[in-house]
Amino acid sequence: MLVGGIEAGGTKFVCAVGNEKNELLERVAFPTTTPEETLEQVFAFFDRFDLAAIGIGSFGPIDVKKDSETYGHILCTPKLAWKDFDFLGAMKARYAVPMGWTTDVNGAALGESALGAAKGMKNIMYITIGTGVGAGAIVDGKILEGIGHPEMGHILVRPHEHDHYEGFCPYHGNCLEGMAAGPSIDGRLGKAGKDVEPTDAVWDYIAYYIAQALEAYTVILRPERIVLGGGVMKVPGMLDNIKGKFTKLLADYVPVPAVDDYLVLPGLGDDAGITGAIILANEVKA
Amino acid sequence: MLVGGIEAGGTKFVCAVGNEKNELLERVAFPTTTPEETLEQVFAFFDRFDLAAIGIGSFGPIDVKKDSETYGHILCTPKLAWKDFDFLGAMKARYAVPMGWTTDVNGAALGESALGAAKGMKNIMYITIGTGVGAGAIVDGKILEGIGHPEMGHILVRPHEHDHYEGFCPYHGNCLEGMAAGPSIDGRLGKAGKDVEPTDAVWDYIAYYIAQALEAYTVILRPERIVLGGGVMKVPGMLDNIKGKFTKLLADYVPVPAVDDYLVLPGLGDDAGITGAIILANEVKA
Ligand SMILES: Nc1ncnc2c1ncn2[C@@H]1O[C@H](COP(=O)(O)OP(=O)(O)O)[C@@H](O)[C@H]1O
Ligand SMILES: Nc1ncnc2c1ncn2[C@@H]1O[C@H](COP(=O)(O)OP(=O)(O)O)[C@@H](O)[C@H]1O
Ligand SMILES: [Zn+2]
Ligand SMILES: [Zn+2]
């Protein structure tokens, strides 16, 4: 029985079909434009298959509360064409199959916990530091959510004593996302991260903010492993820098696995999200 | 069928028996001394009843992982007589009934979610700001834990610009506990919290740190309500001070209930922990 998966990113959609073993059999990717245009391409791909279920990991914020009137909608996003769009409703109108619905980062967390760098673990986190900072957690084998999905990228951090950047988050200024996501590099130095020397002090600042956030996630959620992805993690030495700062900040207050086992890069690379969507589909399949 | 409950605090033990409706029928309290002396008093109380189960909410850190060799033990506590003590084992050696085992703050969270200020809600948090800062969360109706129980009191906070106190946490210095728990008041002013004017600036600092932590818990866990207890919450105006600062820090980034519904004082007062222990007992009852 085939299932479908969508990793709906703010800049790119990936659609795939997979089997019961969560293997990706066929896939397609295209830029995110308007909902109408983009869904047309989604339909063109999925119409070719007889699917038992579809899993969707979407950019957000999205409504994940099943009892809500706007369940399945994209909420108040800066991508105005998608604001209030009933994404899940549009999918259900086209395909009468069970559907799983969660955030893109939750999808990646699910993928990494099932088949990636945190394989077989029931309490893990996935965080991406890219254009923004997003994170999802698996707690006791299930995606963590409360009255909505987490927005863990917006926890507040202590400014580094030498970092005078005020942060780019329109809500908080210097929250984690405002201080550590990609645009903060452009904001400080007027150039893109990939053009900045790996020895630049900015990476120290960013590692410090990420380490603080990891300390908070650790004492709150007590995960067994944290998987770190996104463009900023591609900077040479970044993971080691974060490990050192995290260890110092946690100060052995709670036991965690050896830091090399605890803080790791993704195992599925760019496939974490789409794999998670396929897993979700298999989970909701009748 | 009667069940037993223990709220095992660092300074005081409360034991009670309750019924299926989680009503407390009889109780006793005594100071926490050595494990031997203290358990003798526990046994003297419970021996009088025929109990179907016992629930224990204990001061920590404790081992809550069922597959661990030291499951049920108290771990590395500054109360040296209790360090590595097999609390649950000692109880099981005396009573052959199912036992629930969690932290004191998780017990209080359970009590408040079942019968207190967060009655009927499936995603809530309980935090106490007293001699230390402890917190527990109920996620989807279940006590939150990962590879261990949360230690949410030790998240890092931004120092207030006018507060030059370095914090008393032996691990982190100025984490939330180090900056906001009761001893920080003595540390700053050389006198106990109850002797400090409600207009003193110290309460502003403390409210600011608590508000930061609540912002973090909010974006990570998305609870429906947060119950705040402990001695520091008894300061006149403290809750309102926190509400104002929290609202400003969150900056409407994620929707939360109206702040008066979201941040509340305990509904069970000092009975939250012991009530939670009775609820836990009823949950594990065969
Ligand atoms: N090699 C690199 N070195 C440093 N920063 C990078 C690198 N590659 C990407 N980035 C940063 O990561 C951001 C993009 O993150 P990415 O995870 O690829 O995208 P998105 O978050 O949109 O999915 C950019 O803003 C850029 O600053
Ligand atoms: N009325 C009060 N005003 C200010 N602070 C108080 C008040 N009562 C207690 N405290 C503070 O709370 C701490 C004790 O907290 P409490 O929750 O009662 O105990 P515990 O955490 O040990 O269970 C003390 O350190 C004291 O500073
Ligand atoms: Zn922010
Ligand atoms: Zn601390």
Side-chain angles (χ1 to χ4, degrees):
Chain A
M1 230 20 195
L2 295 180
V3 298
I6 305 177
E7 182 189 7
T11 53
K12 190 180 73 174
F13 263 57
V14 182
C15 298
V17 291
N19 61 18
E20 278 115 28
K21 293 186 211 149
N22 298 314
E23 288 162 337
L24 304 178
L25 303 177
E26 198 168 330
R27 77 160 81 193
V28 66
F30 40 86
T32 309
T33 59
T34 63
E36 295 67 32
E37 260 181 35
T38 311
L39 282 225
E40 216 168 279
Q41 292 186 267
V42 171
F43 297 159
F45 177 70
F46 284 135
D47 280 356
R48 295 166 41 218
F49 304 95
D50 183 24
L51 302 175
I54 296 175
I56 307 169
S58 175
F59 70 98
I62 63 175
D63 189 340
V64 294
K65 297 315 286 177
K66 291 219 168 79
D67 56 0
S68 158
E69 274 193 16
T70 53
Y71 174 65
H73 291 222
I74 296 196
L75 299 174
C76 173
T77 166
K79 293 185 75 70
L80 292 181
W82 291 81
K83 185 170 177 303
D84 302 322
F85 177 61
D86 183 6
F87 188 170
L88 187 63
M91 290 298 297
K92 287 196 164 163
R94 185 80 170 199
Y95 306 104
V97 298
M99 293 195 191
W101 170 248
T102 195
T103 63
D104 46 2
V105 281
N106 280 342
L110 199 58
E112 288 292 337
S113 75
L115 296 168
K119 194 167 164 173
M121 296 180 180
K122 297 186 73 167
N123 292 283
I124 68 112
M125 257 193 73
Y126 173 86
I127 180 168
T128 173
I129 306 103
T131 306
V133 177
I138 307 294
V139 172
D140 198 18
K142 281 179 22 193
I143 289 171
L144 173 71
E145 69 183 39
I147 57 170
H149 58 77
E151 287 282 359
M152 303 197 201
H154 293 267
I155 78 165
L156 307 175
V157 290
R158 286 179 186 168
H160 186 286
E161 57 173 336
H162 297 133
D163 184 11
H164 303 300
Y165 181 55
E166 72 287 357
F168 73 88
C169 175
Y171 294 85
H172 312 112
N174 54 4
C175 65
L176 173 64
E177 177 165 303
M179 296 300 269
S184 77
I185 306 159
D186 308 63
R188 287 184 187 90
L189 304 173
K191 55 184 171 181
K194 63 173 176 23
D195 300 325
V196 177
E197 285 295 315
T199 52
D200 197 287
V202 71
W203 304 122
D204 253 1
Y205 305 158
I206 287 180
Y208 177 59
Y209 303 131
I210 297 171
Q212 287 181 50
L214 298 178
E215 197 271 353
Y217 305 147
T218 295
V219 297
I220 295 171
L221 296 173
R222 304 294 310 275
E224 186 172 353
R225 182 164 291 176
I226 302 178
V227 181
L228 296 97
V232 170
M233 292 308 297
K234 293 182 178 153
V235 180
M238 179 55 80
L239 182 61
D240 282 338
N241 199 345
I242 293 169
K243 283 179 185 172
K245 292 182 163 65
F246 167 80
T247 301
K248 215 168 144 197
L249 287 174
L250 186 64
D252 281 328
Y253 183 68
V254 293
V256 290
V259 73
D260 291 334
D261 295 327
Y262 188 56
L263 305 180
V264 303
L265 297 175
L268 301 176
D270 292 337
D271 282 355
I274 189 64
T275 303
I278 292 291
I279 293 169
L280 198 59
N282 273 312
E283 280 182 6
V284 299
K285 192 173 62 179
Chain B
M1 228 20 194
L2 295 180
V3 297
I6 305 177
E7 182 190 5
T11 54
K12 191 180 73 172
F13 262 57
V14 182
C15 298
V17 291
N19 61 18
E20 280 116 25
K21 293 186 214 149
N22 299 314
E23 288 162 338
L24 305 177
L25 303 176
E26 199 168 328
R27 77 160 82 193
V28 65
F30 39 85
T32 309
T33 59
T34 63
E36 295 68 34
E37 260 181 37
T38 311
L39 282 224
E40 217 169 277
Q41 291 186 268
V42 170
F43 296 158
F45 178 71
F46 284 135
D47 281 356
R48 294 163 44 218
F49 304 96
D50 183 24
L51 301 176
I54 296 176
I56 306 169
S58 175
F59 69 98
I62 63 174
D63 189 340
V64 293
K65 296 316 286 177
K66 292 219 167 80
D67 56 1
S68 159
E69 275 192 16
T70 54
Y71 174 66
H73 292 221
I74 295 194
L75 299 173
C76 173
T77 166
K79 295 185 74 71
L80 292 181
W82 291 81
K83 186 169 174 307
D84 301 322
F85 177 61
D86 184 7
F87 189 169
L88 188 62
M91 290 297 297
K92 287 195 164 163
R94 185 79 170 201
Y95 306 105
V97 297
M99 292 195 192
W101 170 250
T102 195
T103 63
D104 47 3
V105 280
N106 279 342
L110 199 58
E112 288 292 338
S113 75
L115 296 168
K119 194 166 163 173
M121 294 180 181
K122 297 187 74 169
N123 292 283
I124 69 111
M125 259 193 70
Y126 173 86
I127 180 168
T128 172
I129 305 105
T131 306
V133 177
I138 307 294
V139 172
D140 199 19
K142 281 178 25 190
I143 289 171
L144 173 70
E145 68 182 40
I147 58 170
H149 57 77
E151 287 283 359
M152 303 196 205
H154 293 267
I155 77 166
L156 307 175
V157 290
R158 287 180 185 168
H160 186 286
E161 57 173 338
H162 297 132
D163 184 12
H164 303 298
Y165 182 56
E166 72 287 357
F168 74 88
C169 175
Y171 294 85
H172 312 112
N174 55 4
C175 66
L176 174 65
E177 177 165 301
M179 297 300 270
S184 77
I185 305 158
D186 308 63
R188 286 185 188 89
L189 304 173
K191 55 185 171 181
K194 62 174 179 17
D195 300 326
V196 177
E197 287 294 316
T199 52
D200 197 288
V202 70
W203 304 123
D204 253 0
Y205 305 159
I206 287 179
Y208 177 59
Y209 303 132
I210 297 171
Q212 286 181 51
L214 298 179
E215 197 271 352
Y217 306 147
T218 296
V219 296
I220 294 171
L221 297 173
R222 304 294 310 275
E224 185 172 353
R225 183 164 290 177
I226 301 179
V227 181
L228 296 97
V232 170
M233 292 308 298
K234 293 184 176 149
V235 179
M238 179 54 80
L239 182 61
D240 282 337
N241 200 345
I242 293 169
K243 283 179 185 172
K245 291 183 165 64
F246 167 80
T247 301
K248 216 168 143 198
L249 287 174
L250 186 64
D252 282 328
Y253 183 68
V254 294
V256 290
V259 73
D260 292 334
D261 294 327
Y262 187 56
L263 305 180
V264 303
L265 297 174
L268 301 175
D270 293 337
D271 282 354
I274 189 64
T275 303
I278 292 291
I279 293 169
L280 198 58
N282 274 312
E283 280 183 6
V284 299
K285 194 173 61 177

